[in-house]
Amino acid sequence: MIPLSWYLLLSATLFCLGIVGFLVRRNLITIFMSIELMLNGVNLSFVTFAHQWHLVKGQIFVFFVMVVAAAEAAVGLAIIIAIFRARATLAVDRIDLMKL
Amino acid sequence: MNGPLLFLPLIPLLPFAGFLLNGLFGSRLPKALVTLIALLAPLGSLAIVAHDAYLFWSGAITFPVIEQGAPTWISVGTLHVDFGFVLDQLSLTMLLIITGVGFLIHIYSAGYMAHEKGYWRYFAYLNLFLFFMIVLVLAGNALLMFVGWEGVGLASYLLIGFWFQKTSAADAGKKAFVVNRIGDFGFLIGMFLLLANFGTLTFSEIATKIGENPGWTGGVLTCIAICLFVGAAGKSAQIPLYVWLPDAMEGPTPVSALIHAATMVTAGVYMIARSHAIFDRSPVALSVVAIIGAATALFAATMGLVQTDIKRVLAYSTISQLGYMFLGCGVMAYSAGVFHLMTHAFFKALLFLAAGSVIHGIGGEQDLRKMGGLRKKLPVTFWTMTAGVFAIAGAPFLSAFYSKDAILYAAFQQGTFGRVLWAVGLFTALLTSFYMFRLWYLAFFGKQRAPELHPHESPWSMLGPLVILALLSIGGGWIGIEKFSEWLAPAVGTHAVEAAGGIPEWAFSVIAVSMGLIGWLVAHVLYFAKPDQPAKLAGSFSVPYKVLVNKYWVDEIYNALIVKPLLMISRFLLEWVVEFAIIGGVVWLLAGIALLTGAILQKWQSGNLRSYAAWLAAGAAALLLFAGAVLLAANGVDIKWAGWK
Amino acid sequence: MGGVEMNAIDSYILTLILLVPLAGALLIALLPDRGKLSAWIALLTVLASFGLTLHLPAHFLAGQPGFQFEVTQPWISNPAINYHVGIDGLSLWLVVLTGLLAPVGVLASWNVIQTRSKVFYALFLVQQTAMFGVFVALDLMLYYGFWELSLVPMAILIAMYGRKEGPKAATKFFLFTFIPSAPLLVAILWLYAKTGTFNFTELQSAIAGGALPAGALFWVALAFLFAFAVKVPIFPLHGWLADAFSEAPVALAMVIAGKLGLYSMLRFHVALFPEQVKCVAPVLIALTVIGILYGACLALVQRDFWRLIAFGTVGHFSLTTLGIYGLTLTGRTGAVYQTLNQGVMEGALFVLLGVIYSRYESSQIAAFGGVAAKLPRTAVFFVITSLAMVGLPMLNGFVGEFLILSSTFIGVSQGWATAATVSVILGAAYTLWLVQRVFYGPESALATEKPAADLRWNEWIVLAPLALLMLMMGLAPGLWLPTIESSMKLAPIQQTSSSQRILLPPLAVTFHDSKEAAR
C-alpha cells in the first residue's frame, strides 16, 4: 500500500504549485487556473484522509469544494471576460484600480 | 377651612382667563369684545378682593388666611411646594392696590391704545401681568412668589417690547429681563439657602421657626436676607440694578404707570415686608437695605434733575421713591414702607397717566423742551397732574406727606447712622420737589415751544381714571401712619418706635415741608420767573451737568466692564483659544495621527494583485508556523499519524 | 408582576413597540418611492407606535420595585445573550417621549424632505426602533446592539440630507460617537467574562457583591462613562454637536443629543457602578458646571443659530448631567424630568428653527430681523419655547432646573451650585438676544425680500401640543415626578449622607451696633 505521506506530498506539491503560479503569472486566466490547482491539492488531501480513516465526511467536503469551484469559475470567468472587454488586457499588473 | 368662601384662586385666574381669551382669539374678536373681556377680568378680581376685605371687616374671617390643602406643585424627596395662597393684611392691601389701580389703568388703556393695531395683544399681556402680580402677592411660599416674580418680568418684557419693530423697544425689553435675571439669581440662591437651612419655602413656617429660636441672628440669616435683597433690587430697580427701568419707558405709557411705577417695581418692597422675619434678625442686611435705599433715592433723584423726556423724569423719580420704601424697610419701618408703596402707587400712576395724556394730546411727543403752555389746552390733565406733583413733593395733607414723613421719622430714630439716612432722604425730598415742579412748569406753563403741535384734551375714558387717582393721591394718606401700622402689624410685626430725642413729630413735618417748598421755589425761579437761567447754569456748571445728563455713564460703565469683556472673553478666549485651538486642536491631533498612520500603511496597498497574494501567502505561512510551534511547545503533542512509520 | 393580574398585551407590548417601526421601515423599503407615500406610511407607523407607548404609563404600577412589562427570551446560548427587555420609572417616560417625538419628526420633515424620501423615512424608522431599544434593553449585549444601531441611520441621514457639509458632519458625528463605543464593547465583554452574564440585574448585584476586582472595575466604569459622555455631550467632548446640529435634518437633530446618553448614564453608569461613580462624580460635577457656563458663553457669541443652539444645548445637558452626578435623590429625579423637558423643548425648538430655515434658507442671525411681523405665529411659539428653555416658572424647564440646582446646592456643593445658577442669567441673555435679533427690530432685507408663509398645518399640529405639554409639565409635574422618583429611590444608590443636612447652621453672631443697643 502506498503510504499516506506520498499522497500528502503530492497534495502539498499541487498546492504549492498553485501558489507559485498565482504569484508569478501575470495572466488572469493562468492565475485562475492556479487557484483551481490549489483547490484540487486540498481536495486530494481530503480524499486521502477520508480513505485512510474510512470516513465519508472528507469526500462530502470535496463535493462542496467542487461545487464552489464551479460557481467560482462561472462568476470568475464572467468577470474576467468583463475586464477583458473593458481594458483589452488580462495582465494583472495593469489592473490596479484598487489602488487609491 | 370652613367658613365663608374667599374665592382666592379666582382672583388671579380671572385675569388669566382674560389673557387666554384675548391671547388666543383676540385677533378675530371685535374690539369692543376684547375691551369688555380685558376690563371684566380685573373688575372681577377687584370685586372678589373687595368681598374678601368686607368679610374681614365684618369679622367673618380672621387673618391670616393660610390656604390648606392647596394642589401640590412640586414634590420630590423632602421638597414640597404647593399652590397655597396666603391672605393677610399685607397681601390684602397689595391686592386692593393692584386690582384697583390696575382696573383704572385698564380703563385708561382702552382710550390710550384705541388706535393701536395690536390692541388685543396689548390687553392680553396686561391681563397676564395682573395674573402674575396677583400670584406674586398671594403666594404663601417663596417659590410660588418666584412664579409671579418671573411672570411679571415676562409681562414686563412683552409690554416694554410691545412695539417690537422699534429696535430700542426690543432692546429695552431684553435688557429689563436680563437685568432682572441677575436679581433672580440672588432670589434663587436665597431660596436654596432657605431650603438648606429651614427645609421649607413656606413663609409662615419659616417665620415660626425663626420665632422659636430667639438666638438666631446674623450668620446665615444675613446671607439669606442679602440674597433676597439682590432679587428685590433687581425687580425694584435699586442700585446697582436700576439701569433697566429708565429704558423700560419704551413701553406704552399706561404700562409704565401700571408695571413700572405702581405695582411690579414695588414687588421688591413687598417681598422684604413678606419675609421680614428674616430681615428682622439680620442687622447687617437691614443696614444694607437702608443704605442702598437711601443711596438710590438720592442718586436717581439727581439724574432726574436734568432729564428732558417727560417719562424718563418720572422713571428716575420712581427709582428714587422706591429707594425711600427700601429705606423704610431697612429701618424696620415696614408699614411705613408699604404705606409709601400705596401712596406712591396712587400718585405715580397718576403722574404717568397724566404724562400719557399729555403725550397723547400732543401727538406722541415726549420731549419737555417742546411742550409748554399746555395748562389751558389740557385743563383736566393739568389739574390732575398738579395734584400728583404736589403730592409727590410732599405738600401738607396730601398722601406722600404722610408716608414720606413716616419713613424719614423712622430713619431718624436709628442713631447716628439713621440720622445720616434721614438727612439724605430729606435732601432727596428737596430734589424731588425741584424736578417735579420743573416738569410741571416746563410742560404746562410759559409759551408753547413747538408750534407744530396741536394739543387736544384726551377722551373721558382716560380722564376718568386720572380724576379718581387724583382724589386718591390727595386723600390716600389720610388714614395716617399710626392707623396703617396698626392694621399691618399682624402681618409685618410691630417695631416699637421711640420718640426721637424729645423732638416733637410735627417738627419733622415742618422740616420736610420746607424742603419741598425750597425745591418748588428754585424750580419756580429757574423755569417760570427766569426761563433763560437753566441754560446759563448748565453752562457754568458744565462738568456736573454733563455727568448728570449722561446719567453718570453707568450704562456705559456696565457695558465696558461687564458686557464687553464677557463677549470678548467668550469670543477670543473661549471660542478661539479653548474651542478652536485646544479642543479642536486635540481632535485634529487625533485625526492627524490616524491620517498619518493611514498614509504609511497605504503604501502596502500597492493595487498589485500579486503583491497582495504574496502578502496573503506569507501571512498564512507565518500563521501556520506560529500555530504549529505554539501547539507543539505548549502541549508537546505526540503526533502519531497513521501509517507514518 | 407579583399578584397583579397581567394584561395579555403587557407581555409583548415592548416587543410590539420595537417591531412596529421596523415593520414600517420594511414596508417603506418594499413599496415604490411615489409622492408622499413613504411619508404617510411613516406617519401612520409612528402614530401607531406612539399609541402603543401610551399603553405603558396607563398600565404602569408606580412604586413597584424592579422592571415591568419584562420579557426574557433566550436568543443566543453561548455567549448567553438574551432578548431581555423591560422598563421602570426611569425609562417609562423616555419611551413615551421617543414615541411622541417621532410624529413630530415626521411632520417636521413633511415638506422639507423632497428627494429620496423612501430612504429617509425608512432609516428614520430604523432609528426609532434603535432608540426604543436603548431604553428598554436590559441585556447589555442587546443594549449595545441598539446603541450602535442608533448611530448608523443618524450618520447616514446627516450625510445624505446635510445642508451644506453633510458628509463632513456625518463623519465627525460617527467618529466621535463610534470610537468610544469600542471601549464600551470591551468593557461589556470584560464584565461577561468575569460574571458570565449580560443581564442588567444580575450584573448589578454581582458588582455590588464586590466579587470583581475594584481596580479593573474602575476602568470598566470609565469606559461606560466615556461612551455616554460623548453622546450627551459633556464638555470637552462636545466637538461634534455644533456641526451635527448645523447639518442634521430637524427630525434627527431633535433626538441626536441628550436623552440616549443621559438615560444610559443613569441606568448603566450610576446604577451599575455606584462605588466607581463616587470617584468620578467630583470631576464630573466640575466638568458639567464648566460646561454650563462655557456653553452659555459660547452661545452668546455665535453668529449662526444652529451653532448657537448647539452650545446652548451643551449648557442645558451639562446641567442635567450635574443633577445626575450630584447623586442626590432630588437631583437625579430632576435630571430625568429635565431630560423629558429637554426632549419636548428641543423638539419644538428644532421644528421652529426648521420653519425659519426652510422659509429663509439662512441660519445667519445677522441676516434676520423683524421676522415677527412676517411670521407672527412662529414668533409666538418661538418665544414660548425660548421662555421654557430659559427656565421661566410655569413652563417645564423651570421645574427640572430648580430641582437640580437646589439639590446640588443643598446636597453637593454650594460653590458649584452657585456657579451653575449663573446660567439663569447667561441663558436668558443669549436666548432672548437670539429672539430679538431674529424676530424683533425693523425688517431686514431678507425678511422683506422672501415672501414667507407662516406655520403650515403640519407645523401647527406639532407645535400646539408641544407648547401645551410645556405648560402642563411646568404646572403639574406631579403627573410625572412620582413615577420617576419611585424608581430613583429603588435604585440601589447610597444617598450621600450630606443630602439633607443643614449646611450652614445659623450662627449665633450678634451684631452690637447702635440699633441693637437701641432695642
Side-chain angles (χ1 to χ4, degrees), chain C residues 113 116 155-170 243-244 246-249 357:
Chain C
I113 304 300
R116 292 176 293 180
I156 297 175
L157 288 178
I158 293 176
M160 278 177 71
Y161 292 91
R163 299 188 177 86
K164 291 184 195 88
E165 292 177 318
K168 196 179 141 210
D243 288 329
S246 304
E247 299 298 331
Y357 188 84

Side-chain angles (χ1 to χ4, degrees), chain C residues 49-341:
Chain C
S49 75
F50 177 45
L52 286 174
T53 60
L54 288 180
H55 174 88
L56 301 176
H59 293 86
F60 188 82
L61 301 168
Q64 188 162 320
F67 293 97
Q68 303 186 21
F69 307 104
E70 208 173 338
V71 178
T72 315
Q73 282 291 327
W75 180 19
I76 299 171
S77 55
N78 189 19
I81 301 174
N82 294 324
Y83 172 77
H84 181 196
V85 294
I87 56 166
D88 63 355
L90 164 60
S91 42
L92 168 69
W93 293 110
L94 286 163
V95 172
V96 178
L97 175 74
T98 309
L100 169 73
L101 287 180
V104 172
V106 170
L107 285 169
S109 318
W110 203 258
N111 295 318
V112 181
I113 304 300
Q114 301 282 10
T115 53
R116 292 176 293 180
S117 60
K118 184 170 151 169
V119 182
F120 179 86
Y121 290 109
L123 284 174
F124 179 84
L125 290 177
V126 173
Q127 163 85 16
Q128 197 62 24
T129 294
M131 288 194 295
F132 280 132
V134 167
F135 292 132
V136 300
L138 293 175
D139 180 289
L140 248 65
M141 208 59 217
L142 187 67
Y143 161 80
Y144 180 78
F146 282 124
W147 174 265
E148 291 292 282
L149 184 61
S150 76
L151 305 178
V152 179
M154 186 80 83
I156 297 175
L157 288 178
I158 293 176
M160 278 177 71
Y161 292 91
R163 299 188 177 86
K164 291 184 195 88
E165 292 177 318
K168 196 179 141 210
T171 314
K172 209 168 176 180
F173 165 76
F174 194 74
L175 289 179
F176 259 92
T177 47
F178 204 79
I179 291 174
S181 300
L184 174 64
L185 179 62
V186 173
I188 292 176
L189 292 177
W190 184 88
L191 283 179
Y192 179 75
K194 292 285 169 190
T195 61
T197 178
F198 286 119
N199 183 310
F200 172 74
T201 327
E202 287 170 14
L203 278 172
Q204 206 175 20
S205 41
I207 293 168
L212 300 176
L217 216 48
F218 173 80
W219 293 102
V220 168
L222 208 61
F224 274 68
L225 174 64
F226 182 48
F228 306 149
V230 171
K231 192 80 207 301
V232 169
I234 288 174
F235 174 87
L237 304 171
H238 60 271
W240 58 274
L241 191 67
D243 288 329
F245 271 13
S246 304
E247 299 298 331
V250 293
L252 294 153
M254 63 178 77
V255 295
I256 197 168
K259 57 182 178 155
L260 290 176
L262 293 165
Y263 162 81
S264 303
M265 280 178 167
L266 277 162
R267 169 84 78 224
F268 295 109
H269 189 229
V270 174
L272 206 52
F273 307 100
E275 283 308 311
Q276 286 67 29
V277 166
K278 278 182 193 155
C279 306
V280 288
V283 180
L284 276 165
I285 288 167
L287 279 181
T288 49
V289 172
I290 293 171
I292 289 167
L293 299 177
Y294 181 82
C297 282
L298 277 189
L300 271 175
V301 293
Q302 296 305 311
R303 298 185 175 89
D304 178 297
F305 60 61
W306 299 116
R307 296 184 68 85
L308 188 150
I309 294 304
F311 285 109
T313 302
V314 170
H316 285 298
F317 287 142
S318 295
L319 181 72
T320 315
T321 317
L322 175 64
I324 296 176
Y325 285 97
L327 300 180
T328 59
L329 172 66
T330 315
R332 285 180 301 132
T333 310
V336 178
Y337 196 60
Q338 189 68 352
T339 310
L340 301 176
N341 291 337

